[in-house]
Amino acid sequence: MVWITLLATAAIFATTLLACVSDVRSLKIPNLYSIIILAAFVPAVLATPDLFGKWWEHLGAMGVIFIITYLMFAAGMMGGGDTKLGSALALWVGLPGVLPYVIWMGFSGGIVALLSIYFKKKKPFKSPRAGSWVAQVQEGRNAVPYGLAISFGAWAALWHKGFITHQLDEVLKAIN
């Protein structure tokens, strides 16, 4: 059954990569990506419930992150796609992983914000793709593709709580 969870984890990894690419290219994260991440959670938790722990902790984490990111969205600090992506990934992280998730998200978000400031001031790219993050900040707009930070924060939190290493251990046991 660990194979189902491993496939679901691979699917969310690929989806977060797609979300990052989309965010950098257009500062938009399609709703489909958040739906895939949410939908992949169900077979994974059914296949390996011991790996996930208490289901309510995962729903609680999603709720906490949704409230925080929605307030940021309402204040104009974050986009709607970021709110949905962050909440969907919080479902995977669970309450025990929320603190590392938020810390890593904030740290990596700061790095991306610093890059935005640099691109805005120095304009290092001659002809960036129209509508992209780089093009928009070089035109003077304040923009940060926070999907990068959200994705990195989630993966760092999953690694921190041992979710990834546990799956790898189980796969190695199944192979041997």
Side-chain angles (χ1 to χ4, degrees):
M1 292 298 229
V2 73
W3 292 100
I4 293 170
T5 303
L6 186 63
L7 287 172
T9 305
I12 67 163
F13 182 73
T15 303
T16 56
L17 288 178
L18 290 171
C20 289
V21 169
S22 177
D23 210 11
V24 167
R25 285 186 170 179
S26 65
L27 291 171
K28 290 182 175 41
I29 301 171
N31 291 336
L32 177 62
Y33 297 158
S34 297
I35 292 168
I36 290 169
I37 292 166
L38 290 171
F41 181 79
V42 175
V45 77
L46 290 175
T48 54
D50 293 343
L51 183 59
F52 287 89
K54 299 175 183 119
W55 62 269
W56 61 265
E57 289 182 346
H58 293 274
L59 291 176
M62 186 171 74
V64 165
I65 295 299
F66 176 76
I67 291 167
I68 292 167
T69 57
Y70 180 77
L71 292 172
M72 292 174 75
F73 167 73
M77 299 167 56
M78 178 178 278
D82 297 327
T83 297
K84 291 175 254 185
L85 180 67
S87 300
L89 286 168
L91 181 66
W92 281 81
V93 169
L95 284 176
V98 165
L99 185 59
Y101 180 35
V102 171
I103 289 170
W104 283 108
M105 186 189 325
F107 175 74
S108 54
I111 291 170
V112 178
L114 288 173
L115 279 173
S116 287
I117 292 167
Y118 175 78
F119 293 160
K120 187 175 183 178
K121 288 185 179 195
K122 299 293 183 181
K123 298 178 182 24
F125 300 99
K126 298 295 179 214
S127 31
R129 179 185 169 136
S132 70
W133 161 51
V134 173
Q136 290 187 44
V137 293
Q138 286 190 174
E139 292 167 0
R141 183 169 175 230
N142 292 329
V144 176
Y146 214 74
L148 298 170
I150 292 166
S151 297
F152 183 79
W155 287 105
L158 287 170
W159 188 272
H160 175 83
K161 70 182 247 183
F163 181 80
I164 305 297
T165 54
H166 180 77
Q167 282 189 67
L168 294 174
D169 288 344
E170 291 298 316
V171 168
L172 290 174
K173 285 180 196 172
I175 292 172
N176 293 328

PDB file of all heavy atoms in Angstrom, residues 1 64 126 145-146:
ATOM      1  N   MET A   1       0.800  -1.204   0.000  1.00  0.00           N
ATOM      2  CA  MET A   1       0.000   0.000   0.000  1.00  0.00           C
ATOM      3  C   MET A   1       0.843   1.268   0.000  1.00  0.00           C
ATOM      4  O   MET A   1       0.356   2.320  -0.363  1.00  0.00           O
ATOM      5  CB  MET A   1      -0.929  -0.001   1.215  1.00  0.00           C
ATOM      6  CG  MET A   1      -1.993  -1.046   1.132  1.00  0.00           C
ATOM      7  SD  MET A   1      -3.044  -0.779  -0.268  1.00  0.00           S
ATOM      8  CE  MET A   1      -4.616  -0.915   0.458  1.00  0.00           C
ATOM      9  N   VAL A  64      -6.153  26.244   9.515  1.00  0.00           N
ATOM     10  CA  VAL A  64      -5.298  27.301  10.070  1.00  0.00           C
ATOM     11  C   VAL A  64      -4.610  28.059   8.946  1.00  0.00           C
ATOM     12  O   VAL A  64      -4.620  29.299   8.908  1.00  0.00           O
ATOM     13  CB  VAL A  64      -4.252  26.697  11.049  1.00  0.00           C
ATOM     14  CG1 VAL A  64      -3.140  27.686  11.355  1.00  0.00           C
ATOM     15  CG2 VAL A  64      -4.922  26.231  12.319  1.00  0.00           C
ATOM     16  N   LYS A 126      17.225  41.495 -20.229  1.00  0.00           N
ATOM     17  CA  LYS A 126      16.975  42.413 -21.351  1.00  0.00           C
ATOM     18  C   LYS A 126      15.544  42.317 -21.877  1.00  0.00           C
ATOM     19  O   LYS A 126      14.889  43.318 -22.088  1.00  0.00           O
ATOM     20  CB  LYS A 126      17.977  42.150 -22.488  1.00  0.00           C
ATOM     21  CG  LYS A 126      19.408  42.393 -22.080  1.00  0.00           C
ATOM     22  CD  LYS A 126      19.649  43.849 -21.751  1.00  0.00           C
ATOM     23  CE  LYS A 126      21.084  44.047 -21.320  1.00  0.00           C
ATOM     24  NZ  LYS A 126      21.253  45.052 -20.323  1.00  0.00           N
ATOM     25  N   PRO A 145       6.252  35.762  -6.740  1.00  0.00           N
ATOM     26  CA  PRO A 145       5.603  34.470  -6.996  1.00  0.00           C
ATOM     27  C   PRO A 145       5.696  33.599  -5.741  1.00  0.00           C
ATOM     28  O   PRO A 145       6.569  32.755  -5.609  1.00  0.00           O
ATOM     29  CB  PRO A 145       6.409  33.898  -8.163  1.00  0.00           C
ATOM     30  CG  PRO A 145       7.765  34.486  -8.000  1.00  0.00           C
ATOM     31  CD  PRO A 145       7.551  35.846  -7.387  1.00  0.00           C
ATOM     32  N   TYR A 146       4.766  33.824  -4.820  1.00  0.00           N
ATOM     33  CA  TYR A 146       4.851  33.185  -3.511  1.00  0.00           C
ATOM     34  C   TYR A 146       4.592  31.683  -3.566  1.00  0.00           C
ATOM     35  O   TYR A 146       4.877  30.965  -2.616  1.00  0.00           O
ATOM     36  CB  TYR A 146       3.902  33.874  -2.520  1.00  0.00           C
ATOM     37  CG  TYR A 146       4.469  33.872  -1.131  1.00  0.00           C
ATOM     38  CD1 TYR A 146       5.517  34.719  -0.796  1.00  0.00           C
ATOM     39  CD2 TYR A 146       3.991  33.004  -0.167  1.00  0.00           C
ATOM     40  CE1 TYR A 146       6.074  34.701   0.474  1.00  0.00           C
ATOM     41  CE2 TYR A 146       4.538  32.974   1.103  1.00  0.00           C
ATOM     42  CZ  TYR A 146       5.575  33.826   1.420  1.00  0.00           C
ATOM     43  OH  TYR A 146       6.136  33.794   2.667  1.00  0.00           O
TER      44      TYR A 146
END
